[in-house]
Amino acid sequence: MKNFIIKFSLFVLTFYCSNITFAQNSGTGLLIQEDNQTPLISPFSGKKATDLKTVVNLKPFAPIPEDQGKISSCVGWSIAYGAMTIMHAQRENWTDKEKITANAFSPHFVYNQVARFKDSDCGTGGAHFSHALRLIMEQGVCKRNTFNLSADRCDVMPKESQKIDAAQYRIKDYLQLFKSKDLEKVKIRRIRESLNNDIPVIVGMKLDDTFMDIKPGDKYWKPSPDSKKEEN
């Protein structure tokens, strides 16, 4: 059995809730609640800030980016398709993008089971990080080649055979890196420490329409001044 330890960070006012969509009708989906149940990682790493690497690149282990479509499934994509796939590729020492993507984990296996939506409104309900991570700790997550749906399908649940396959990819635990009220320097330090240990960090953040306006060739995202004021 393969066990992973996932560390994740939780920001206040992160992704728009699923009932709020962008003008371009692209999905988001993270539902925010202050998590007082998930334990925090130890504040002492044993390293000084000057000992931390200034550059860390996990991109060689990442799958090819894809579009989540119009449904609010970002939690499934960020945790299963993103972080879990990166950690699996690290463990197997894979850097071939095609191979990594072919063995990526299924975002729908997670999202379809934890999303908060009504049957008549499939796909507009978002999900909590903690609910998704708890599911992966208890059930695991299967690979997308086992449970592969089109981006906008949220009405299909995994079969028992797919859950049996998922059980070999359960996580052992998951931790918060910091609380939303922590100082910015503390947040940055915790993220740097995690990345220095080659552990991907699952991050939620507030987005506005300008994020969806990013075009090929753009090097940076420039949030609108109004969204910056709202964060403060």
Side-chain angles (χ1 to χ4, degrees), residues 2 4 57-64 80-105 142-145 168-169 198:
K2 300 179 180 180
F4 299 91
N57 184 14
L58 301 184
K59 187 176 179 180
F61 303 103
I64 297 171
Y81 188 80
M84 289 288 290
T85 300
I86 289 172
M87 296 178 75
H88 185 56
Q90 287 173 316
R91 177 165 294 194
E92 299 295 336
N93 198 27
W94 293 339
T95 55
D96 183 295
K97 285 292 181 191
E98 297 296 335
K99 186 172 186 177
I100 293 171
T101 303
N103 286 275
F105 289 100
C142 68
K143 293 185 178 181
R144 195 170 60 158
N145 55 25
Q168 63 182 311
Y169 300 110
D198 294 324

Side-chain angles (χ1 to χ4, degrees), residues 27 31 40 47 75 104 204 211 215 231:
L31 300 180
L40 283 166
K47 289 186 177 181
V75 168
F211 186 83
K215 296 178 176 57
E231 283 184 26

Side-chain angles (χ1 to χ4, degrees), residues 146-203:
T146 301
F147 189 64
N148 188 15
L149 304 176
S150 61
D152 295 331
R153 290 295 301 273
C154 60
D155 57 336
V156 180
M157 294 297 159
K159 298 177 181 178
E160 188 61 30
S161 61
Q162 291 159 336
K163 290 185 177 182
I164 291 174
D165 181 66
Q168 63 182 311
Y169 300 110
R170 288 181 292 179
I171 59 175
K172 183 178 181 181
D173 203 355
Y174 56 94
L175 304 168
Q176 291 189 78
L177 296 185
F178 50 77
K179 292 289 189 179
S180 59
K181 64 182 179 180
D182 287 344
L183 296 175
E184 183 174 311
K185 65 179 182 181
V186 173
K187 297 177 181 179
I188 293 173
R189 164 81 187 213
R190 298 281 174 78
I191 291 174
R192 288 186 64 197
E193 289 172 346
S194 183
L195 293 176
N196 263 255
N197 290 320
D198 294 324
I199 299 174
V201 180
I202 304 165
V203 177

